[in-house]
Structure formats: C-alpha cells, structure tokens
Amino acid sequence: NGGAGGFSAALSKAAVVAYDATVLAGTQGYFNHAKLDRMLALAEQQRLPLLLLAEGGGGRPGDVDIDPIYNSQLAVSTFRQMGRLSGRVPLVGVASGFCFAGNAALLGMCDVVIATEGANIGMAGPAMVAGGGLGQVAASAIGPSAEQARNGVVDLLAADDAEATALARRYLGFFQGPLPPPATFADQRLLRAAVPENRKRAFAVRPIIETLVDESSWLELRREFGRGLVSGLARVDGRPIGVIANSSAHLGGAIDSDGALKAARFMELCDAFDVPLLFLCDTPGFMVGPESERGAAVRKMSRLFAVGSSLSVPFFTLVLRRAYGLGAMAMSGGLAVGPNVFHASWPSAEAGPMGLEGAIELGFAKELAAAGSVPLVGEAARRRLHESLLHTGLERAGATSVARTLETDDVIDPADSRAWIVHGLDAAAVPAERGDGGADAAAWRTRRDGQKRRPCVSPW
C-alpha cells in the first residue's frame, strides 16, 4: 500500500511466500522448507509483514530432495520459525484451491486467514484420511471455505484470487500507520436515532460502527463466527483502531463461548501491533444455561478477563444501551471504569449486576409470589408489582444515575461519540519505544527494544 495508498516505500515493504500448486501440488520438500525458512528469517530480522499464499498438499512423501537415510523428516524448523513470527510481524494467509496438512498448519498460524469461495482447508488431505483408516473422502469435502468461515478458521471470504489479494493489501494497510488528514466521515447526528426507544428491540450495530469511523475504512473479521460479537479494523481521523461490538441481533447481544474466543483473540491481535481498541457495549451479560456450559463457557469466557487485564494499548468503552453483569465488565477490559481511557454512556444506556427482569424475579421472588396468591386479583397484582419494581430499577440503572456514582465517566450526546474517540486517541498518544521511523511509523515496526508486546497471537 505505497504511493497512492498514502504510505512511504519504507512503510510498504512486505515479505511474500507462495506455494506453487502447479509444481508437485505445492507440497513441502526438504529444500522447499529451507527456502521458506530463509524468507521467514528475513521477515523476522527486518520486521516485515508476511503474506503466505498457502495452496498445496502438505508434506511430500517419498521426497527425493534428500538421502533416504534422512528418515523422519521431523527436524525441519519451518513451523517453529513461523510460530516465532506470531506477534512480531503481521501474518496474512491466503488459501485458494486445496490447502492441506503442513500448508494448512502454516496458514493456521496467520493472524488473518483469507480464503476464496472454492478453497478447501484441512489438517489432512484425502490420502492421509484414507491412510488413517477413515475411508475415501473427496478433497472437496474436507474443510470447504464456507464451513471454515462459520467455525472461525477463515476471517475473510473472497470471490476469487484478485479479491483475496485486495483484501490482504487492505488488511495490511492498518499496520502501516496513520493516514494523513483530512478524513471524511458520515453525519454524526445519525447516531441519535441509532438505538430504538423500545429497550427490548434489536438493532443493527454495524451501521453505528460505519458512521463512527472514517468513510469506507471498516473491515470486519470473522463475520460468520461468534455472531453475537462484531470485530474488525477501521480508521478514525486516519488512525487505525480495532472495534469490538455486541450485536443484539444474535442471542440478544449475550456473549457466548464463540463470541468470547473471537473477542479475546482480536484483543490479542490489536495489542500485539499497537492498535487501540474501541468497545461498543450492548449486552445482557454472558450466555447462561446447560447448553452454554456444555461448550466450556467457564474457560472460554474467562479468557476475556485474562486478555483484557493484560492490554497495553489504549482502549475506550461506549455503552450504547445495556451493560449488565460480567459480560459488560468484559467489554471494558475487565473493569467498567479504570484502565480504559474513557468509559462513556449514551442516554439510552442502562447498567447493573444482571438484567433487570431477571434481577426482579430473583430478588423479589417472595413478594411477587405473595402478590400473585391473592384470590381473584393475584395475576394483576403480581403484574403491577413487577411493573413498579421494573420502573424503579430502570431509574437506578439509567445512564445519569450510573454517572452520579462514578460508574461511567459521562453521559454524552451520541453525535459527540466520534469526537470523544478522537480526543481519546490524542490523549493516549505517548511516544513509544521508537527507532528512527518517525511519529507516523507503525510502532510495532520501529520499537527500539525489538521485543514483542505479546508472546504470540493465539491461533484460536
């Protein structure tokens, strides 16, 4: 993304490695690994983003590049070398056609996986499946890209190779640093009508994101996976920012296990490469119930607190509507007010330890039961009591009440949200450990100490 993309040649360097599926089906041999290892080492030394074109069938049985006495072929450093790059330089993988075994293992270590609609991705191809005693399977039946998008393996689906390449360029642009002003953006007054007056009505959060950020800058990742949470990259005032938002269109905005994993990993990605984070909160909390627990919710949801508490990048929270329970705390790095640069609420916001309706049923069970037991008028009496308790609860949970007890920094006009984000970015902009890349360089590339912010970006 140099030249017309707005970045200098120094900030537009990248390493590109491509398996050639027309040569031995893109499989991996001894010298193939040696050649790739050389490029991985250069990417690490020069801190170059890496683009991996991963089409191929994995390890090559009967490799004739080496003496047959070299038996196990396990003493190759490629996979360790690729793992070392995680969290040090941005990694983008593109799958087009068949991508199996070793090729898929390298692809899976990439920060972002882009796949064409006809791609198939799997840790084993048909030959290995058959060799494992699992029968004959067509290559096209193993990990089709649409399926891998739904289960979270694929971040971005592309119609063809040309679109995949364009998406890779666009994604890497976020890690090249800020774009020069001025930035164009939508009329912010539209945000005043973005949240319905009916507090139980779902609404679309993506138009809110697209209104807040610079025009045409929004790039959503893993859209088909963990659909209760929306995550992606954008720019505000030309500066890269990561966005995590609850979507009330799925599970009412409750955070399920898949959503928790999706958000935690995205936080790691942004933190690793010095990209500030914006949380847009509208959640009744974590998803509960036996079905949720069967999906290992305790471990997966707790990742949000473990990762959130270790963030080193600035982050901001805007409460659009509901901020309840542990889920709301997770949407603020683990604590509503404190580590974030700001925690602001729209007038439509409400907050509390758990959803109001549930809190009333739990906390006033005896009173409601007593009202309901009155002969002839019990049902009406219970309903009136419930409505009265809900009215009182809404007053206490409302944005201005929460602000009075310092549990949010301010209640703001939604139209001022973008200005708050810009001011937050300005306030949080402190000189990093930079080399001579200058103030406009991507901090991860010019960090003097050469160290990672995080050990790696978790593949999952």
Side-chain angles (χ1 to χ4, degrees), residues 200-389:
K200 292 186 177 182
R201 180 174 296 172
F203 63 93
V205 76
R206 290 178 181 87
I208 293 177
I209 298 171
E210 291 167 354
T211 301
L212 282 170
V213 304
D214 294 355
E215 188 176 12
S216 301
S217 71
W218 171 241
L219 179 64
E220 184 173 351
L221 303 177
R222 294 176 107 181
R223 179 170 183 144
E224 301 302 319
F225 174 70
R227 292 184 294 121
L229 274 167
V230 175
S231 64
L233 295 162
R235 292 183 182 274
V236 174
D237 200 34
R239 288 171 281 189
I241 191 168
V243 181
I244 298 175
N246 303 111
S247 174
S248 59
H250 182 74
L251 299 176
I255 302 172
D256 61 4
S257 292
D258 285 349
L261 291 176
K262 175 180 176 176
R265 184 181 186 277
F266 185 71
M267 283 192 277
E268 288 185 336
L269 173 64
C270 291
D271 195 47
F273 298 110
D274 304 287
V275 176
L277 277 159
L278 170 66
F279 294 90
L280 300 179
C281 182
D282 174 30
T283 183
F286 286 138
M287 190 63 191
V288 299
E291 185 64 30
S292 178
E293 302 307 335
R294 278 191 283 272
V298 172
R299 286 285 195 178
K300 293 175 181 177
M301 293 174 182
S302 296
R303 280 205 71 211
L304 287 169
F305 296 111
V307 176
S309 65
S310 66
L311 290 174
S312 62
V313 293
F315 61 97
F316 325 105
T317 302
L318 282 174
V319 181
L320 308 186
R321 186 166 62 180
R322 297 160 302 162
Y324 286 112
L326 292 169
M329 295 170 70
M331 291 293 291
S332 296
L335 175 66
V337 179
N340 36 20
V341 175
F342 68 76
H343 182 288
S345 299
W346 286 6
S348 51
E350 53 187 75
M354 66 180 295
L356 285 178
E357 287 80 1
I360 290 170
E361 294 291 343
L362 184 64
F364 296 91
K366 291 183 179 180
E367 291 84 346
L368 290 168
S373 66
V374 177
L376 301 178
V377 296
E379 184 177 343
R382 187 187 191 284
R383 185 169 58 253
R384 284 195 299 272
L385 177 58
H386 189 280
E387 289 174 353
S388 174
L389 292 169

Side-chain angles (χ1 to χ4, degrees), residues 19-159:
Y19 285 93
D20 188 346
T22 68
V23 178
L24 298 174
T27 52
Q28 300 168 331
Y30 179 83
F31 289 111
N32 176 297
H33 281 301
K35 187 175 181 179
L36 177 56
D37 289 348
R38 170 70 170 148
M39 287 302 300
L40 297 180
L42 287 172
E44 181 174 4
Q45 292 165 13
Q46 299 184 26
R47 300 186 198 176
L48 299 175
L50 178 72
L51 172 61
L52 169 70
L53 305 178
E55 183 178 4
R60 186 184 307 153
D63 184 9
V64 297
D65 287 350
I66 52 172
D67 192 296
I69 198 171
Y70 191 71
N71 292 323
S72 74
Q73 300 185 40
L74 300 181
V76 294
S77 61
T78 303
F79 301 98
R80 179 176 172 82
Q81 289 254 99
M82 186 72 171
R84 281 175 54 85
L85 289 180
S86 180
R88 188 177 298 277
V89 300
L91 303 173
V92 183
V94 176
S96 178
F98 299 127
C99 178
F100 296 137
N103 295 55
L106 294 173
L107 181 77
M109 282 188 268
C110 291
D111 303 329
V112 159
V113 172
I114 303 169
T116 59
E117 292 179 356
N120 291 79
I121 305 166
M123 291 306 291
M128 286 186 67
V129 172
L134 299 177
Q136 300 296 321
V137 178
S140 59
I142 300 173
S145 58
E147 180 178 278
Q148 298 286 35
R150 290 192 296 271
N151 65 25
V153 169
V154 170
D155 296 85
L156 292 164
L157 279 174

